Amino acid sequence: MSRESSLTLDRGLALLQAVADAGGEAATISELAVTIGASRAAVYRLLVPLSERGLVWRDGSKVRLGVGLLRLAGQVLPQLRQAAQPVLRELAEGVGATAHLSVAEGDQVQAVAVVEPTWTSFHVAYRVGSRHPVSRGAAGKALTLRQGGKQWVRTTGELQAGAVGIAAPVRGVPGLRASVGVVSLDPLEAATVGPQVVTAATNLAKTLSPTPPQPQSPVRP
């Protein structure tokens, strides 16, 4: 890809992000031009391929997200679940508790992947798709942790009587607000399980993050 094509792609993606950041309000061409630092003419040109693919739609001078994004979004969760399965499996087997990946949607958090341990006598059944407020439960509260502060959260009985949860945020993946955690009816030793959960969250972040370019060996004459 040429440098010019790369810059055009980057600016097109910036434009799509600017439309998304407008929230429920439609963004105007002028507002988008200011946001991405381009001329109105450049914005009009960038909107053409985005409109053709249904990613945005124009209503006069106003621009909204297009329904084509729904098709793309529908593929995100299945791929996210697939990427999370090995990490959650290792965590569930290592701790002996049900492991889960939860993703924030507004002020709610949803369990999108769950793995139960194979060797325990009993464990918590945590249903994929279950939702609860971000302010309750370890999975939600982990999302409120600040970088450089506490690394995991432990809660007891907030979502299910007697259930103990430990969760850590998945950091460093652009556009993703998620946490990895475990839930059990047996006591969980936070000092031991907490670091295991943090490691799982870190490993998942590495899996989901773009692979950094490898340095090239110098060409010898």
Side-chain angles (χ1 to χ4, degrees), residues 20 31 35 43 73 89 110 134 141 148 163 175 187 200-201 210 219:
E31 290 169 342
T35 299
V43 170
R89 170 57 61 196
Q110 177 184 2
V134 171
K141 290 185 174 180
V219 177

Side-chain angles (χ1 to χ4, degrees), residues 91 95 151-153 166-168 189-203:
L91 180 62
V95 175
Q151 294 185 298
W152 68 83
V153 170
I166 295 179
E189 180 57 49
T192 300
V193 177
Q196 292 177 270
V197 173
V198 172
T199 297
T202 301
N203 289 340

Side-chain angles (χ1 to χ4, degrees), residues 25-40:
E25 298 296 328
T28 66
I29 299 294
S30 297
E31 290 169 342
L32 293 172
V34 171
T35 299
I36 70 171
S39 66
R40 287 167 52 90

